[in-house]
């Protein structure tokens, strides 16, 4: 489990096809404190560490993950920056919201507008996921816990404050970009209860 609070920005060093994809990710994390088999959210995708170096870790990415995430949309070219978060430990502060690292689909950035020092970003979600997104609710986008400001059909907006743009990859995002979307687990359960009761 994760919180959607990004703690490092990793850089893709290489991706190779070995049955599944294998990616090497450069990190500022102290890799002596990471164990083989540890889970790390990489742009919101929960991936398992399979090898470690002084300033990098390797993960394998299944065909299912490639199909449902931005890995399959944009690929992860060498030099591409991604948001990283280590898995929660008992006693850690829950600063965002509960995030599983199981990406539900890919949203598209459809508009960006500066509002003071912040940036308002509008996204188009896949139609099947739109019902899980509500004003003042939470979403995880590229692994970042964000509050939804408004919703209009499958389009929804968030505000990015300067701090968020500085400590994540959100300062790199442009209109037309694809982003990993994980809807709030609570919203999923509420929608399922309504289906069952209806």
């Amino acid at each position: 489990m994760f919180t959607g609070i990004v703690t490092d920005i990793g850089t893709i060093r290489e991706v190779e096809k070995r049955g599944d994809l294998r990616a090497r990710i450069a990190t500022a994390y102290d890799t002596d404190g990471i164990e083989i088999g540890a889970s790390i959210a990489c742009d919101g995708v929960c991936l398992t560490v399979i090898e470690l170096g002084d300033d990098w870790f390797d993960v394998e990415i299944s065909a299912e993950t490639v199909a449902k995430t931005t890995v399959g949309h944009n690929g992860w070219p060498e030099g591409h920056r991604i948001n990283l978060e280590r898995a929660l430990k008992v006693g850690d502060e829950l600063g965002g919201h509960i995030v599983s690292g199981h990406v539900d689909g890919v949203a598209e950035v459809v508009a960006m507008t500066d509002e003071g020092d912040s940036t308002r970003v509008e996204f188009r979600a896949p139609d099947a996921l739109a019902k899980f997104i509500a004003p003042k609710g939470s979403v995880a986008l590229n692994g970042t816990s964000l509050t939804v400001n408004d919703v209009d059909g499958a389009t929804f907006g968030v505000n990015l404050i300067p701090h968020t743009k500085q400590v994540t990859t959100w300062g790199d995002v442009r209109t037309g970009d694809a982003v990993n979307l994980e809807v709030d687990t609570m919203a999923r359960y509420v929608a399922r209860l309504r289906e069952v009761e209806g």
Side-chain angles (χ1 to χ4, degrees), residues 106-111 121-126 156 174-179:
V106 174
E108 179 189 358
V109 178
V110 293
V121 185
E122 289 188 24
F123 301 88
R124 184 178 302 109
F156 66 97
R174 300 292 176 260
T175 302
D177 284 355
V179 298

Side-chain angles (χ1 to χ4, degrees), residues 32-136:
D32 288 338
I34 299 173
E35 295 187 16
I36 300 296
S39 294
I40 298 179
C42 302
D43 254 4
V45 183
C46 178
L47 296 172
T48 302
V49 174
I50 59 169
E51 192 173 342
L52 290 160
D54 289 339
D55 63 349
W56 56 266
F57 62 92
D58 283 359
V59 294
E60 283 181 321
I61 309 165
S62 71
E64 171 77 2
T65 299
V66 170
K68 294 202 174 211
T69 68
T70 57
V71 178
H73 276 64
N74 340 337
W76 274 357
E78 185 178 335
H80 180 68
R81 296 177 354 124
I82 58 173
N83 294 319
L84 299 178
E85 181 187 356
R86 303 273 312 268
L88 272 173
K89 295 183 186 133
V90 174
D92 282 353
E93 180 179 336
L94 183 60
H97 71 284
I98 295 293
V99 176
S100 69
H102 302 155
V103 171
D104 294 299
V106 174
E108 179 189 358
V109 178
V110 293
M112 299 180 74
T113 310
D114 288 333
E115 294 182 352
D117 292 330
S118 296
T119 302
R120 177 158 184 93
V121 185
E122 289 188 24
F123 301 88
R124 184 178 302 109
D127 290 339
L129 298 177
K131 66 182 177 183
F132 300 114
I133 302 171
K136 305 308 175 198

Side-chain angles (χ1 to χ4, degrees), residues 14 23 86 96 155 170 195:
E14 62 181 273
R86 303 273 312 268
T155 302
W170 283 105
E195 284 175 12

